[in-house]
Amino acid sequence: MHEAGYEIGNLDATLILQRPKLGTHKEAIKSNLSQLLGADPSVVSLKAKTRKKVDSLGENRSIAAHTVVQLMR
């Protein structure tokens, strides 16, 4: 990405899981993502959601992540 002349303009990530609760870990995850991607922490957004016992996500048998990234030249 950097070699091609792009940088992250915005990253929006949503984690869907029942456990563990991420409230106390969200800032550390956001910081790690920023460092790994070479992005400013201000352009990284992280949310966590649950599925309230619906499907394998809600039954605590799986975890999902949805991410949208805007690249800027």
Side-chain angles (χ1 to χ4, degrees), residues 5 12-13 18 21-22 30 37 58 63-64 66-67:
D12 183 45
Q18 289 300 116
K21 298 297 182 191
L22 296 185
K30 181 178 170 178
L37 298 170
I63 294 173
H66 299 193
T67 306

Side-chain angles (χ1 to χ4, degrees), residues 20-29:
K21 298 297 182 191
L22 296 185
T24 59
H25 304 288
K26 282 172 67 172
E27 285 305 313
I29 294 169

Side-chain angles (χ1 to χ4, degrees), residues 6-72:
Y6 291 92
E7 63 182 64
I8 294 176
N10 185 49
L11 183 146
D12 183 45
T14 302
L15 301 176
I16 305 169
L17 67 164
Q18 289 300 116
R19 297 214 185 281
K21 298 297 182 191
L22 296 185
T24 59
H25 304 288
K26 282 172 67 172
E27 285 305 313
I29 294 169
K30 181 178 170 178
S31 175
N32 286 337
L33 278 172
S34 299
Q35 286 179 345
L36 286 169
L37 298 170
D40 189 279
S42 67
V43 301
V44 176
S45 171
L46 178 68
K47 298 181 287 282
K49 301 197 178 268
T50 64
R51 284 299 260 282
K52 311 240 190 232
K53 302 197 188 251
V54 176
D55 66 30
S56 66
L57 293 167
E59 293 172 353
N60 203 30
R61 294 185 289 128
S62 63
I63 294 173
H66 299 193
T67 306
V68 176
V69 179
Q70 176 190 31
L71 296 178
M72 308 210 27

